[in-house]
């Protein structure tokens, strides 16, 4: 006959075994699934699927270094930079800690970031930057994380550190990708940042930040000239592809001096949610005052935050169809309705 005390003891042992089992990793696959589910919780299913199915993530490239007790250590191919990154997974009761290490450094040297994830729902509850601050003067002290991000994103994508000014504006989720043909355009699936130089030739970057050292880069053309839509596609199909297939791009730290110099050239829109004066507003003012006909269209707009005006490049669609640039005017349009025709100066 089994005594009551013996039964209680067996129950305690069983619970202890189950508890110890829950704090170990059954396989590398369990850790990989944990990483992917955490990404889904952080980004949402739609954006996470873009990242996990994109060119910068190779699921088959995970390799096991060690699986011991509550800790499993894996490496993942860094498709963007080359080499491999070590990722350490540690189960700690209700939470799991993920630590990421610098590319191609021996474990456990050079950790770069750590996140604490709640096991019950895979939600990240805290994140920590582990990169050491360089000794001596820190060139980026005093700048916000957003200002630094804008400069690094521009340098990573465009590479032009000599741009005369860097304009920063914002477009809200749900706004049309092609604002000039809004009724025929797909919309942005999330809030995005728009970076542009002083002149059209400087280019444009449209992105959102993933908060993990990568951005979602949207392939929005810098201007919507005739012929920008691939043959056989409608505007809706073309812009839907832009919306649904951003490229996940890793952002390098870069040279602090170049970053600081570029930050000093930033011209940031005053309203980070919705600009009070948009390029659509500017174009509407221009059309009304100049009495434009249907042949004239907006080719490109650049916002100058320091004086709160848009530089609008206007083209003739009929001239463009003949193979030329079609440019017929460049205007500075201010919020108060002032319009300067630079061709007339």
């Amino acid at each position: 006959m089994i005594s009551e005390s013996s039964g209680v003891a067996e129950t305690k042992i069983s619970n202890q075994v189950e508890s110890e089992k829950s704090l170990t990793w059954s396989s590398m696959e369990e850790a990989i699934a944990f990483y992917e589910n955490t990404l889904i919780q952080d980004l949402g299913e739609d954006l996470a699927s873009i990242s996990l199915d994109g060119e910068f993530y190779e699921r088959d490239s995970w390799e096991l270094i060690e699986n011991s007790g509550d800790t499993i250590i894996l490496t993942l191919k860094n498709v963007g930079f080359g080499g491999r990154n070590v990722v350490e997974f540690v189960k700690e009761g209700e939470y799991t800690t993920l630590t990421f290490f610098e590319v191609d450094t021996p474990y456990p040297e050079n950790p770069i970031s750590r996140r604490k994830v709640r096991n019950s729902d895979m939600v990240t509850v805290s994140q920590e930057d582990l990169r050491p601050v360089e000794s001596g003067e820190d060139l980026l002290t005093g700048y916000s994380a957003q200002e630094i991000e804008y400069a690094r994103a521009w340098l990573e994508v465009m590479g032009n550190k000599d741009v005369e000014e860097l304009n920063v504006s914002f477009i809200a989720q749900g706004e049309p990708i092609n604002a000039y043909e809004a009724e025929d355009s797909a919309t942005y699936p999330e809030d995005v940042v728009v970076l542009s130089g002083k002149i059209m030739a400087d280019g444009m970057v449209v992105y959102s930040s993933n908060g993990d050292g990568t951005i979602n880069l949207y392939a929005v053309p810098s201007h919507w000239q005739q012929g920008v839509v691939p043959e056989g596609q409608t505007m809706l199909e073309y812009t839907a592809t832009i919306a649904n297939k951003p490229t996940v791009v890793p952002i390098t730290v870069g040279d602090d001096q170049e970053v600081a110099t570029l930050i000093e050239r930033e011209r940031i829109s005053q309203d980070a949610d919705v600009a009070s004066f948009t390029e659509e507003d500017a174009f509407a003012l221009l059309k009304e005052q100049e009495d434009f006909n249907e042949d004239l269209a907006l080719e490109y707009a650049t916002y100058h935050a320091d004086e709160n005006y848009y530089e609008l490049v206007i083209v003739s669609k009929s001239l463009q169809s003949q193979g030329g640039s079609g440019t017929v005017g460049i205007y500075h349009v201010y919020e108060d309705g002032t319009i300067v025709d630079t061709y007339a100066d």
Side-chain angles (χ1 to χ4, degrees):
M1 181 176 178
I2 300 176
S3 67
E4 183 177 344
S5 61
S6 175
V8 171
E10 288 181 1
T11 300
K12 288 182 177 179
I13 293 172
S14 175
N15 290 340
Q16 181 179 353
V17 170
E18 287 299 318
S19 176
E20 291 176 352
K21 183 178 179 181
S22 68
L23 293 178
T24 61
W25 296 92
S26 61
S27 65
M28 182 172 72
E29 176 61 34
E30 181 189 356
I32 296 172
F34 189 93
Y35 169 84
E36 293 174 342
N37 287 327
T38 299
L39 196 64
I40 290 171
Q41 286 298 325
D42 285 346
L43 302 181
E45 290 189 9
D46 291 341
L47 291 178
S49 65
I50 292 170
S51 178
L52 294 173
D53 295 336
E55 59 181 312
F56 287 98
Y57 179 69
E58 294 184 2
R59 197 179 200 276
D60 293 339
S61 72
W62 286 99
E63 294 180 2
L64 175 66
I65 295 180
E66 179 183 335
N67 185 358
S68 177
D70 60 4
T71 302
I72 187 169
I73 305 164
L74 310 179
T75 66
L76 174 66
K77 181 179 179 181
N78 190 316
V79 180
F81 299 148
R84 303 186 67 82
N85 288 99
V86 174
V87 184
E88 175 195 74
F89 302 75
V90 181
K91 289 187 177 181
E92 301 170 333
E94 298 178 1
Y95 301 93
T96 294
T97 299
L98 280 67
T99 304
F100 300 84
F101 295 81
E102 190 69 62
V103 65
D104 281 349
T105 57
Y107 175 81
E109 296 179 11
N110 298 332
I112 57 176
S113 67
R114 178 175 293 136
R115 60 174 54 191
K116 187 176 183 179
V117 180
R118 189 167 52 226
N119 296 330
S120 60
D121 54 10
M122 302 293 183
V123 170
T124 299
V125 296
S126 66
Q127 296 187 66
E128 182 182 3
D129 188 343
L130 303 177
R131 288 170 291 196
V133 176
E134 298 292 336
S135 59
E137 182 182 3
D138 185 350
L139 294 173
L140 301 183
T141 297
Y143 295 122
S144 70
Q146 289 74 26
E147 290 172 323
I148 295 171
E149 176 188 283
Y150 304 147
R152 285 176 174 166
W154 176 267
L155 291 170
E156 185 69 40
V157 178
M158 302 304 298
N160 181 6
K161 65 179 184 294
D162 298 319
V163 65
E164 188 174 340
E165 66 182 43
L166 181 60
N167 296 293
V168 184
S169 57
F170 310 89
I171 300 177
Q173 177 184 6
E175 290 297 309
I177 291 176
N178 181 356
Y180 314 115
E181 298 182 39
E183 293 183 357
D184 299 320
S185 173
T187 59
Y188 285 102
E190 56 182 339
D191 295 344
V192 296
V193 179
V194 181
L195 308 176
S196 60
K198 185 174 183 178
I199 60 175
M200 179 167 38
D202 289 330
M204 183 175 72
V205 177
V206 180
Y207 78 93
S208 68
S209 175
N210 294 320
D212 61 356
T214 68
I215 61 172
N216 295 325
L217 180 64
Y218 291 87
V220 180
S222 59
H223 48 284
W224 295 92
Q225 77 273 25
Q226 188 173 6
V228 70
V229 178
E231 186 175 354
Q233 286 190 16
T234 64
M235 178 61 72
L236 180 60
E237 291 170 337
Y238 175 57
T239 52
T241 299
I242 294 173
N244 296 329
K245 296 184 177 180
T247 302
V248 179
V249 178
I251 301 300
T252 57
V253 173
D255 181 275
D256 282 358
Q257 182 61 67
E258 292 182 356
V259 173
T261 299
L262 193 55
I263 290 174
E264 291 299 319
R265 300 172 185 169
E266 291 179 357
R267 302 291 182 268
I268 302 175
S269 172
Q270 295 301 306
D271 190 338
D273 297 317
V274 180
S276 59
F277 181 48
T278 67
E279 60 189 69
E280 293 83 7
D281 296 332
F283 188 46
L285 283 172
L286 182 62
K287 286 196 297 182
E288 180 180 355
Q289 293 196 29
E290 298 295 322
D291 195 25
F292 283 177
N293 59 37
E294 292 300 317
D295 182 55
L296 299 180
L298 177 60
E299 175 84 350
Y300 184 76
T302 301
Y303 180 61
H304 295 262
D306 52 345
E307 298 182 44
N308 192 27
Y309 75 86
Y310 282 93
E311 181 175 88
L312 305 183
V313 179
I314 305 302
V315 297
S316 162
K317 291 182 284 188
S318 60
L319 291 177
Q320 278 191 336
S321 68
Q322 299 172 27
S325 69
T327 302
V328 295
I330 299 177
Y331 299 84
H332 294 174
V333 182
Y334 295 79
E335 187 172 9
D336 64 3
T338 300
I339 295 177
V340 178
D341 183 353
T342 64
Y343 275 21
D345 292 344

